[in-house]
Amino acid sequence: MLTAKQRELLLFIRDHLHSSGVSPSFDEMREALDLKSKSGVHRLISALEERQFIRRLPNRARALEVLRLPDGASPAGSEVPASAAKPVPIAANDTIDIPLHGRIAAGTPIEALQGSENFTVPAALLGPGEHYALEVSGDSMVEEGILDGDFALIRKVDTARDGEIVVALIDEAEATLKTFRREGQMVRLDPANRSYEAQRYSPDRVRIQGRLAGLIRRY
Amino acid sequence: MLTAKQRELLLFIRDHLHSSGVSPSFDEMREALDLKSKSGVHRLISALEERQFIRRLPNRARALEVLRLPDGASPAGSEVPASAAKPVPIAANDTIDIPLHGRIAAGTPIEALQGSENFTVPAALLGPGEHYALEVSGDSMVEEGILDGDFALIRKVDTARDGEIVVALIDEAEATLKTFRREGQMVRLDPANRSYEAQRYSPDRVRIQGRLAGLIRRY
DNA sequence: GATACACGTTCTCCGTCTGTTCACGGGGGA
DNA sequence: TCCCCCGTGAACAGACGGAGAACGTGTATC
């Protein structure tokens, strides 16, 4: 599950947390692992986070939290290991991890934004098919109850019916979340905000990248 | 999770609370941390609040509440640590199962609706504390992006600050989701829909049953 | 109800600490 | 071979924290 270095770092964080009460800074970890650069630490931390051994607040100082320890680790003090203290109360395995492809804004096709981040959602929210998540940027869909900062769950499809909310890629360059409508030979993308105007394109300029399947908001 | 200063302040607040019964003022905290200005304290407090270690009422004197303690902190007195008194189950898993207490509509207090259904949500969506879910009924909060049929995730608390969206039980009979505001001696519950009017009640008629913590929508 | 006081909030300025990212490279396993 | 792990170095952005002052807000008091 972990490489030797990752394991060493994880145990160091655990010990540091236990003895001083605060998580170590990147420089302290660099020192402890006998490295000369922090960027190696950064990679190890990312790996530990990806493997769900630690949790952290991004861009925050000393904001690490150890979630669990590798198998066979000795406890920090004379106490029980952290893993035993958390008996893992909830099973409920009906969730799905989907990739979070960044913010949906102007500029880049969705495929380009292959973020490493993942997003866990209840399986009940999603239908069949492949999905991904986007963070909504801007207020063009407020009248549909889609606000800036919301997470849109998108089902990967390349067709849409009138009235459906889709991720549309215009001219292979700009992706937006809009209501899809056909208008004669043209495609119309309707915002849900009176301050914005509907846009019309010829079908060959518009590529559907998915259909809105769910929405998640944090307060 | 915390920097040294943040941890120091949190432990001071805990001790002060424990020995004198009230939370310290900003000046007392400034003194305790050996600072010459309160603004540093303010920033530390904000960081602690952001990390969900404390809760507070804005513009209220000495209105701090310790929600949990950093890992490895010794208890204040000879008693059990605050963390044990308040279970605050932050699951290490990715998801948490919370009860779905039916639709929020007129008629009945939330407790009465002990539905058997459960609702699985990503743990990242919820902070500490106990939560439950409600299905939103009606369009009184559309301008906040809360639509009929959405699922509101509610943190079980009995206090609210101005501007927060809460589940309020009126006269022990009718529960609604509204924005909470104080207005002089009265409590005002604001809808987010121009077609509805704000309602005013004396505080003893209103019981807060929770605070909006997240929102989930299915398309 | 006017006033005074205590307290919390916000701002600017500043220096330091810390995390992030990039580009470079080497080694080893599948 | 490609891919992953690991190391280095440097530059940068932003968080953190301290000082001081002005300003709001709540509460008590008269």
Side-chain angles (χ1 to χ4, degrees):
Chain A
M1 198 64 169
L2 293 180
T3 69
K5 274 291 176 186
Q6 289 164 6
R7 179 186 157 93
E8 187 187 349
L9 177 56
L10 180 58
L11 294 183
F12 169 71
I13 294 171
R14 191 265 318 255
D15 289 342
H16 193 282
L17 215 42
H18 188 265
S19 59
S20 78
V22 289
S23 44
S25 72
F26 274 57
D27 251 324
E28 287 163 351
M29 293 185 270
R30 177 192 55 70
E31 185 90 6
L33 297 194
D34 203 19
L35 301 181
K36 298 220 173 67
S37 164
K38 288 181 290 183
S39 57
V41 176
H42 196 273
R43 253 193 315 242
L44 293 174
I45 290 286
S46 302
L48 285 175
E49 193 183 10
E50 191 189 24
R51 290 166 171 71
Q52 316 246 29
F53 280 84
I54 62 173
R55 184 158 50 162
R56 58 193 304 240
L57 305 176
N59 295 317
R60 287 288 188 285
R62 298 172 186 272
L64 299 178
E65 186 183 356
V66 174
L67 293 176
R68 59 198 177 102
L69 293 176
D71 294 339
S74 59
S78 54
E79 332 167 7
V80 292
S83 54
K86 277 182 186 166
V88 187
I90 297 125
N93 218 9
D94 47 354
T95 60
I96 299 180
D97 261 22
I98 61 177
L100 175 58
H101 281 183
R103 288 170 79 85
I104 179 164
T108 23
I110 298 298
E111 290 100 323
L113 306 169
Q114 291 292 2
S116 61
E117 285 179 90
N118 263 31
F119 204 87
T120 307
V121 300
L125 256 183
L126 306 177
E130 201 178 342
H131 292 77
Y132 59 93
L134 293 174
E135 191 181 348
V136 174
S137 171
D139 59 354
S140 69
M141 294 298 281
V142 285
E143 288 165 25
E144 285 281 349
I146 301 170
L147 311 186
D148 189 276
D150 287 358
F151 291 94
L153 312 181
I154 312 289
R155 172 166 24 248
K156 228 177 208 172
V157 292
D158 52 13
T159 61
R161 287 174 297 193
D162 271 26
E164 286 179 339
I165 299 176
V166 300
V167 175
L169 181 64
I170 316 293
D171 295 333
E172 301 294 323
E174 181 184 354
T176 53
L177 192 67
K178 292 282 185 320
T179 301
F180 176 90
R181 279 181 216 289
R182 260 175 259 271
E183 198 179 59
Q185 297 297 325
M186 304 292 276
V187 163
R188 199 176 83 213
L189 299 179
D190 284 336
N193 184 334
R194 260 152 268 195
S195 327
Y196 295 87
E197 302 227 329
Q199 299 165 318
R200 284 172 191 74
Y201 299 97
S202 65
D204 56 304
R205 294 181 57 197
V206 177
R207 207 169 95 224
I208 305 294
Q209 297 200 301
R211 200 181 294 163
L212 184 60
L215 187 101
I216 288 183
R217 183 181 305 152
R218 222 183 299 228
Y219 282 91
Chain B
M1 202 63 168
L2 295 179
T3 68
K5 275 290 178 186
Q6 290 163 8
R7 178 185 155 91
E8 187 187 349
L9 177 57
L10 178 59
L11 294 183
F12 170 71
I13 294 172
R14 191 266 318 256
D15 288 342
H16 193 282
L17 214 43
H18 187 264
S19 57
S20 76
V22 292
S23 45
S25 73
F26 273 57
D27 254 324
E28 288 165 348
M29 292 186 270
R30 177 193 55 70
E31 185 88 8
L33 297 195
D34 203 18
L35 302 182
K36 299 219 173 67
S37 160
K38 288 180 292 184
S39 63
V41 176
H42 194 272
R43 256 193 311 246
L44 292 173
I45 291 285
S46 302
L48 285 175
E49 196 182 9
E50 185 194 28
R51 289 160 170 71
Q52 314 243 36
F53 279 85
I54 61 173
R55 184 160 49 158
R56 56 197 301 242
L57 306 175
N59 291 318
R60 286 290 189 294
R62 300 173 186 273
L64 299 177
E65 181 186 357
V66 175
L67 293 175
R68 59 196 176 108
L69 294 175
D71 292 339
S74 58
S78 54
E79 341 167 0
V80 291
S83 54
K86 266 187 194 171
V88 186
I90 298 187
N93 303 45
D94 282 327
T95 58
I96 297 179
D97 261 22
I98 61 177
L100 176 59
H101 281 181
R103 288 172 79 85
I104 178 165
T108 22
I110 298 297
E111 290 99 325
L113 305 170
Q114 292 294 2
S116 59
E117 286 179 89
N118 261 30
F119 203 85
T120 306
V121 299
L125 218 54
L126 306 176
E130 200 178 342
H131 293 77
Y132 57 95
L134 293 174
E135 191 181 348
V136 174
S137 170
D139 59 354
S140 69
M141 294 299 281
V142 285
E143 287 165 27
E144 285 281 350
I146 301 169
L147 311 186
D148 189 276
D150 289 357
F151 291 93
L153 312 181
I154 312 290
R155 172 164 25 245
K156 227 177 209 172
V157 293
D158 53 12
T159 61
R161 290 177 295 191
D162 270 27
E164 287 178 339
I165 299 176
V166 299
V167 175
L169 181 64
I170 316 293
D171 295 333
E172 302 295 323
E174 181 184 354
T176 52
L177 191 67
K178 292 282 185 317
T179 301
F180 176 90
R181 281 181 214 287
R182 263 174 256 271
E183 197 178 62
Q185 298 297 325
M186 304 292 277
V187 163
R188 200 177 81 213
L189 299 178
D190 284 336
N193 185 334
R194 260 153 269 195
S195 327
Y196 295 85
E197 302 229 328
Q199 299 164 319
R200 274 163 257 269
Y201 299 96
S202 65
D204 55 305
R205 294 181 57 197
V206 177
R207 208 170 93 223
I208 306 293
Q209 297 200 300
R211 201 180 295 164
L212 185 59
L215 187 101
I216 288 183
R217 181 181 307 153
R218 222 182 301 227
Y219 282 92

